[in-house]
Amino acid sequence: MVRKIVRYPDPVLRAKCRNVGEITPEIRTLAADMLETMREANGVGLAAPQIAVDLQLAVIDVSHTPDCLTFMKVNGEKVEMVKHMPIVLINPQLELGSDKEIGEEGCLSFPRLRGDIRRSSKIKVSYTDLDGKTVTVESDGLLARAFQHEIDHLNGILFIDRLNAVAKVSIKRKLARLMEEWEEDDG
Protein backbone atom coordinates (compact mmCIF):
# COMPACT_ATOMS: atom_id res chain seq x y z
CA MET A 1 0.00 0.00 0.00
CA VAL A 2 1.30 3.43 -0.92
CA ARG A 3 1.51 5.66 2.15
CA LYS A 4 1.49 9.46 2.37
CA ILE A 5 4.99 10.95 2.52
CA VAL A 6 5.22 13.67 5.15
CA ARG A 7 6.82 16.94 4.16
CA TYR A 8 9.05 19.36 5.96
CA PRO A 9 8.53 20.84 8.59
CA ASP A 10 6.51 17.92 10.06
CA PRO A 11 7.97 17.26 13.56
CA VAL A 12 8.29 13.49 12.95
CA LEU A 13 11.13 14.29 10.53
CA ARG A 14 13.15 15.58 13.50
CA ALA A 15 12.47 12.51 15.68
CA LYS A 16 15.27 10.27 16.92
CA CYS A 17 13.59 7.02 15.92
CA ARG A 18 12.99 4.08 18.26
CA ASN A 19 14.76 0.77 17.70
CA VAL A 20 12.74 -2.02 16.13
CA GLY A 21 12.44 -4.91 18.58
CA GLU A 22 10.92 -8.05 17.17
CA ILE A 23 10.40 -8.40 13.42
CA THR A 24 6.66 -8.88 13.34
CA PRO A 25 4.22 -9.26 10.44
CA GLU A 26 3.44 -5.55 10.97
CA ILE A 27 7.11 -4.64 10.45
CA ARG A 28 7.20 -6.74 7.27
CA THR A 29 4.03 -5.00 6.01
CA LEU A 30 5.51 -1.61 6.88
CA ALA A 31 8.68 -2.43 4.90
CA ALA A 32 6.63 -3.59 1.89
CA ASP A 33 4.51 -0.42 2.04
CA MET A 34 7.66 1.71 2.24
CA LEU A 35 9.15 0.02 -0.84
CA GLU A 36 5.90 0.56 -2.76
CA THR A 37 5.72 4.20 -1.60
CA MET A 38 9.37 4.86 -2.52
CA ARG A 39 8.91 3.37 -6.01
CA GLU A 40 5.67 5.26 -6.60
CA ALA A 41 7.51 8.50 -5.75
CA ASN A 42 10.53 7.58 -7.94
CA GLY A 43 12.87 7.66 -4.96
CA VAL A 44 16.02 5.66 -4.21
CA GLY A 45 15.39 5.52 -0.46
CA LEU A 46 12.74 6.10 2.17
CA ALA A 47 12.97 6.16 5.96
CA ALA A 48 10.08 5.30 8.27
CA PRO A 49 9.73 8.85 9.69
CA GLN A 50 8.99 10.02 6.15
CA ILE A 51 5.70 8.15 6.42
CA ALA A 52 5.17 9.33 10.02
CA VAL A 53 6.52 6.20 11.76
CA ASP A 54 9.32 6.82 14.26
CA LEU A 55 11.12 3.47 13.89
CA GLN A 56 14.71 2.64 12.89
CA LEU A 57 13.64 1.23 9.51
CA ALA A 58 14.55 2.37 5.99
CA VAL A 59 14.49 1.01 2.45
CA ILE A 60 16.92 1.62 -0.41
CA ASP A 61 16.93 0.57 -4.06
CA VAL A 62 19.52 1.94 -6.50
CA SER A 63 19.24 -0.97 -8.96
CA HIS A 64 17.88 1.31 -11.70
CA THR A 65 21.40 2.78 -11.95
CA PRO A 66 23.72 -0.27 -12.02
CA ASP A 67 26.87 1.83 -12.59
CA CYS A 68 26.20 4.17 -9.63
CA LEU A 69 28.98 2.60 -7.54
CA THR A 70 32.35 0.94 -8.02
CA PHE A 71 31.98 -1.80 -5.43
CA MET A 72 29.61 -3.45 -3.00
CA LYS A 73 30.51 -6.01 -0.37
CA VAL A 74 27.99 -7.94 1.68
CA ASN A 75 29.44 -9.59 4.78
CA GLY A 76 32.93 -9.13 3.34
CA GLU A 77 32.18 -10.73 -0.06
CA LYS A 78 32.22 -8.69 -3.29
CA VAL A 79 28.75 -8.90 -4.84
CA GLU A 80 26.76 -7.69 -7.83
CA MET A 81 24.67 -4.80 -6.55
CA VAL A 82 21.47 -5.42 -8.50
CA LYS A 83 21.12 -8.90 -6.96
CA HIS A 84 21.00 -7.34 -3.48
CA MET A 85 18.31 -4.74 -4.11
CA PRO A 86 16.08 -3.64 -2.57
CA ILE A 87 17.65 -3.29 0.87
CA VAL A 88 15.52 -3.16 4.00
CA LEU A 89 17.61 -1.96 6.91
CA ILE A 90 16.56 -2.19 10.54
CA ASN A 91 18.44 -0.58 13.46
CA PRO A 92 21.47 0.37 11.29
CA GLN A 93 24.93 1.25 12.59
CA LEU A 94 27.01 3.38 10.20
CA GLU A 95 30.78 3.75 9.89
CA LEU A 96 31.94 6.61 7.69
CA GLY A 97 35.05 6.57 5.56
CA SER A 98 37.48 9.47 5.89
CA ASP A 99 37.39 10.59 2.23
CA LYS A 100 34.60 13.06 1.41
CA GLU A 101 32.86 14.08 -1.80
CA ILE A 102 30.16 16.54 -2.75
CA GLY A 103 27.08 15.31 -4.58
CA GLU A 104 23.62 16.58 -5.36
CA GLU A 105 20.79 15.24 -3.23
CA GLY A 106 17.07 15.60 -3.04
CA CYS A 107 14.54 14.19 -0.60
CA LEU A 108 10.99 12.91 -0.97
CA SER A 109 10.02 15.04 2.05
CA PHE A 110 11.30 18.15 0.20
CA PRO A 111 9.72 17.93 -3.29
CA ARG A 112 11.47 20.02 -5.94
CA LEU A 113 14.38 20.96 -3.66
CA ARG A 114 17.95 19.82 -4.29
CA GLY A 115 21.31 20.71 -2.82
CA ASP A 116 24.99 19.81 -2.90
CA ILE A 117 25.88 17.78 0.18
CA ARG A 118 29.34 16.73 1.40
CA ARG A 119 29.36 13.11 2.56
CA SER A 120 31.79 10.24 3.05
CA SER A 121 32.59 8.60 -0.27
CA LYS A 122 32.75 5.10 1.28
CA ILE A 123 30.72 3.60 4.10
CA LYS A 124 30.28 0.43 6.09
CA VAL A 125 26.86 -0.21 7.60
CA SER A 126 25.60 -3.08 9.74
CA TYR A 127 21.87 -3.66 10.11
CA THR A 128 19.27 -6.33 10.73
CA ASP A 129 17.34 -7.60 7.72
CA LEU A 130 13.73 -8.83 7.63
CA ASP A 131 14.94 -12.37 8.39
CA GLY A 132 16.50 -11.16 11.63
CA LYS A 133 20.03 -11.64 10.30
CA THR A 134 22.83 -9.12 10.77
CA VAL A 135 24.13 -7.86 7.43
CA THR A 136 27.20 -5.72 6.84
CA VAL A 137 27.44 -3.73 3.60
CA GLU A 138 30.43 -1.76 2.35
CA SER A 139 30.03 0.47 -0.68
CA ASP A 140 30.63 3.79 -2.37
CA GLY A 141 28.80 5.95 -4.89
CA LEU A 142 25.05 6.49 -4.84
CA LEU A 143 24.50 3.54 -2.50
CA ALA A 144 26.85 4.99 0.13
CA ARG A 145 25.12 8.36 -0.22
CA ALA A 146 21.66 6.76 0.08
CA PHE A 147 22.66 4.87 3.25
CA GLN A 148 23.95 8.10 4.83
CA HIS A 149 20.85 10.07 3.80
CA GLU A 150 18.36 7.48 5.10
CA ILE A 151 20.25 6.82 8.35
CA ASP A 152 20.34 10.58 8.93
CA HIS A 153 16.52 10.51 8.72
CA LEU A 154 16.42 7.86 11.46
CA ASN A 155 18.33 10.27 13.69
CA GLY A 156 16.23 13.36 12.93
CA ILE A 157 18.84 14.87 10.61
CA LEU A 158 17.68 16.29 7.28
CA PHE A 159 19.74 16.86 4.16
CA ILE A 160 19.22 20.62 4.46
CA ASP A 161 21.10 20.43 7.79
CA ARG A 162 24.15 19.25 5.85
CA LEU A 163 24.23 22.18 3.42
CA ASN A 164 27.17 24.56 3.76
CA ALA A 165 26.48 27.95 5.36
CA VAL A 166 26.21 29.85 2.07
CA ALA A 167 23.79 27.30 0.61
CA LYS A 168 21.64 27.37 3.77
CA VAL A 169 21.20 31.13 3.41
CA SER A 170 20.41 30.95 -0.31
CA ILE A 171 17.98 28.03 0.08
CA LYS A 172 15.90 29.68 2.83
CA ARG A 173 13.78 31.78 0.47
CA LYS A 174 13.35 28.91 -1.99
CA LEU A 175 12.28 26.58 0.84
CA ALA A 176 9.68 29.10 2.08
CA ARG A 177 8.25 29.39 -1.46
CA LEU A 178 8.20 25.60 -1.88
CA MET A 179 6.43 25.12 1.46
CA GLU A 180 3.65 27.38 0.17
CA GLU A 181 3.47 25.32 -3.04
CA TRP A 182 3.30 22.08 -1.01
CA GLU A 183 0.34 23.48 0.94
CA GLU A 184 -1.39 24.30 -2.36
CA ASP A 185 -0.58 20.78 -3.64
CA ASP A 186 -2.27 19.33 -0.54
CA GLY A 187 -5.14 21.83 -0.58
Side-chain angles (χ1 to χ4, degrees):
M1 174 177 81
V2 173
R3 305 239 191 149
K4 182 179 187 329
I5 296 172
V6 298
R7 294 184 182 148
Y8 180 82
D10 193 301
V12 73
L13 295 173
R14 291 292 187 187
K16 170 84 170 102
C17 296
R18 299 172 292 129
N19 276 350
V20 173
E22 186 182 345
I23 298 169
T24 61
E26 292 79 15
I27 293 294
R28 291 177 191 283
T29 299
L30 176 60
D33 289 354
M34 288 173 63
L35 284 166
E36 191 175 342
T37 302
M38 175 190 70
R39 289 179 177 130
E40 176 73 20
N42 295 314
V44 297
L46 185 71
Q50 292 182 273
I51 57 164
V53 178
D54 72 331
L55 287 175
Q56 291 273 327
L57 173 65
V59 297
I60 294 173
D61 189 345
V62 296
S63 60
H64 65 286
T65 314
D67 57 353
C68 69
L69 49 86
T70 62
F71 79 99
M72 180 180 179
K73 289 183 183 176
V74 175
N75 299 329
E77 304 266 328
K78 226 171 176 180
V79 297
E80 193 178 327
M81 178 266 289
V82 292
K83 293 181 179 174
H84 289 271
M85 292 292 138
I87 293 173
V88 175
L89 52 147
I90 300 168
N91 304 331
Q93 298 296 315
L94 180 65
E95 293 176 43
L96 301 173
S98 57
D99 292 341
K100 308 285 186 199
E101 64 186 11
I102 295 174
E104 188 181 62
E105 290 184 27
C107 180
L108 297 176
S109 293
F110 291 83
R112 302 183 295 278
L113 185 69
R114 302 193 67 77
D116 289 333
I117 309 296
R118 187 172 187 257
R119 295 208 186 258
S120 291
S121 55
K122 293 180 184 171
I123 56 92
K124 181 177 185 178
V125 62
S126 296
Y127 59 89
T128 303
D129 69 11
L130 285 175
D131 295 323
K133 295 181 182 142
T134 299
V135 178
T136 301
V137 172
E138 296 170 73
S139 189
D140 66 354
L142 180 60
L143 183 56
R145 186 167 289 277
F147 270 120
Q148 291 171 82
H149 182 107
E150 300 313 326
I151 292 170
D152 270 358
H153 270 299
L154 302 180
N155 293 301
I157 300 167
L158 304 174
F159 89 110
I160 59 169
D161 301 334
R162 301 246 184 232
L163 290 166
N164 69 41
V166 172
K168 280 181 183 175
V169 170
S170 69
I171 213 165
K172 236 180 190 173
R173 185 175 289 132
K174 182 174 185 176
L175 184 56
R177 189 181 72 248
L178 282 171
M179 288 168 61
E180 288 176 13
E181 289 177 17
W182 300 338
E183 276 186 38
E184 289 171 14
D185 291 349
D186 291 342

